[in-house]
Amino acid sequence: MNDYNHYFHFQREEWRKLEVSKDQILTAEELEEIRGLNDRISLQDISEIYLPLIKLIAIQYHEAIFIHGEKMEYLKKKESRAPFIIALAGSVAVGKSTTARVFKLMLDRWFSKTRQVELVTTDGFLYPNKVLEERGIMDKKGFPESYDRDRFAKFLTDLKANKEDVEVPLYSHFTYDVLEETRMMHNPDIVIVEGINVLQADQHESLFPSDFFDFSVYMDANEADIKKWYLERFFMLRETAFQDESSYFHPYTKISKQEAETFALGVWDTINGVNLKENIEKTKYRADLVLHKGTDHLISDIYLRK
């Protein structure tokens, strides 16, 4: 089903009326620290879009805790509830990373840091570049086959099995590769899992990642807008992070602007755009909630599964 018939539709003005709190949960300085390079998110967005959403997530979290408690009491068991997992999906350059960081900071504040909130990106579950090159799929980086899906499935299984310590692989956008070191998560209450692939389903797998999620969000926008944002971000990085000689993309600071634009357009047209159409966009209707951005990079419409 490729429509929103099974969703409630809220335009921005309608959605913002769900939460009338006058308290500002983030400061301008905090928002600036977590905002992506060309993301236009503002404090107004925090109060009008994200605050109602965080309250909705909190309601679902408390409901899950209550149901688990009732179930354990009935079964006469003393098993603590597994982490509440929030999935955040969407295209490259649509603003997922900023939104994920906003979620974490706002959930920390909402629960007054009485709940341990963790953020994990699925970039860490990519195969290392060496493996991608050996398999001849370096130009498919970000496609389903470029991820270690067994490792990702084990990670989610460990979380839901209440494993005390769960290993999280790490990724560097600076070196454009998976890092050798990992980090450990210790008994988190809420885990935000952000990545282009989190809602993708492989018919050959016995488990889908979405089987483990308690709430899922898809960041949406028209492809033409996402492509424009991707190019904007590439050139902003070309003037900043790529200037470091250790950066994987440093060589693209040494060519002309026209050559750099040709390269970036080629990456979009042969990799990111293709992946969006063939894989990512198809997962949109698996999400519990869709945040749709307009051409100004601001959220205009919200769709909540009925």
Side-chain angles (χ1 to χ4, degrees), residues 92 139 223-235 238 242 249 252 255-275 277:
V92 168
D139 61 346
E223 183 186 352
D225 292 326
I226 303 175
K227 182 177 181 179
K228 180 183 70 174
W229 302 334
Y230 169 77
L231 291 172
E232 287 176 357
R233 188 178 70 177
F234 177 84
F235 278 102
R238 186 170 179 261
F242 294 171
F249 291 99
Y252 298 101
I255 59 179
S256 69
K257 183 176 180 180
Q258 184 175 354
E259 289 173 319
E261 183 175 5
T262 298
F263 165 77
L265 284 170
V267 170
W268 180 268
D269 292 337
T270 62
I271 301 176
N272 294 331
V274 176
N275 197 19
K277 289 190 283 285

Side-chain angles (χ1 to χ4, degrees), residues 116-131:
Q116 182 184 343
V117 183
E118 294 279 0
L119 171 59
V120 174
T121 68
T122 61
D123 292 335
F125 294 94
L126 283 160
Y127 286 115
N129 287 351
K130 181 180 178 181
V131 175

Side-chain angles (χ1 to χ4, degrees), residues 2 6 75 90 150 188 198 211 255:
N2 294 327
H6 54 310
L75 296 175
D150 290 339
V198 292
D211 294 337
I255 59 179

Side-chain angles (χ1 to χ4, degrees), residues 22-174:
K22 300 300 181 182
D23 296 331
Q24 186 52 265
I25 201 166
L26 298 183
T27 66
E29 291 75 19
E30 289 170 330
L31 183 59
E32 187 61 32
E33 285 183 7
I34 63 176
R35 177 166 48 193
L37 269 180
N38 60 333
D39 202 323
R40 292 164 177 79
I41 187 172
S42 66
L43 287 178
Q44 185 176 358
D45 297 308
I46 296 300
S47 61
E48 295 183 355
I49 300 295
Y50 290 99
L51 191 54
L53 176 52
I54 292 300
K55 184 170 184 176
L56 176 64
I57 291 174
I59 290 171
Q60 303 226 165
Y61 172 77
H62 286 301
E63 181 182 44
I65 294 296
F66 174 78
I67 292 173
H68 176 77
E70 291 287 297
K71 182 179 178 181
M72 291 302 101
E73 182 177 351
Y74 175 71
L75 296 175
K76 296 180 173 56
K77 299 291 183 180
K78 293 184 178 180
E79 178 77 15
S80 60
R81 192 189 185 280
F84 186 90
I85 304 180
I86 303 166
L88 179 57
S91 172
V92 168
V94 78
K96 295 186 311 303
S97 296
T98 297
T99 297
R101 292 190 290 266
V102 167
F103 277 11
K104 184 184 185 313
L105 194 51
M106 291 186 73
L107 285 168
D108 279 335
R109 294 289 166 79
W110 184 273
F111 291 108
S112 302
K113 296 194 175 182
T114 59
R115 301 291 187 274
Q116 182 184 343
V117 183
E118 294 279 0
L119 171 59
V120 174
T121 68
T122 61
D123 292 335
F125 294 94
L126 283 160
Y127 286 115
N129 287 351
K130 181 180 178 181
V131 175
L132 297 178
E133 289 166 355
E134 289 172 351
R135 298 184 180 185
I137 56 172
M138 192 65 181
D139 61 346
K140 293 288 187 180
K141 192 168 185 176
F143 281 65
E145 59 265 36
S146 66
Y147 288 90
D148 188 339
R149 285 170 286 185
D150 290 339
R151 190 180 191 185
F152 188 41
K154 183 180 185 304
F155 165 77
L156 294 173
T157 301
D158 286 347
L159 276 180
K160 284 302 187 183
N162 261 337
K163 186 176 179 181
E164 186 172 342
D165 296 311
V166 178
E167 186 179 38
V168 183
L170 303 175
Y171 184 87
S172 169
H173 288 280
F174 187 74

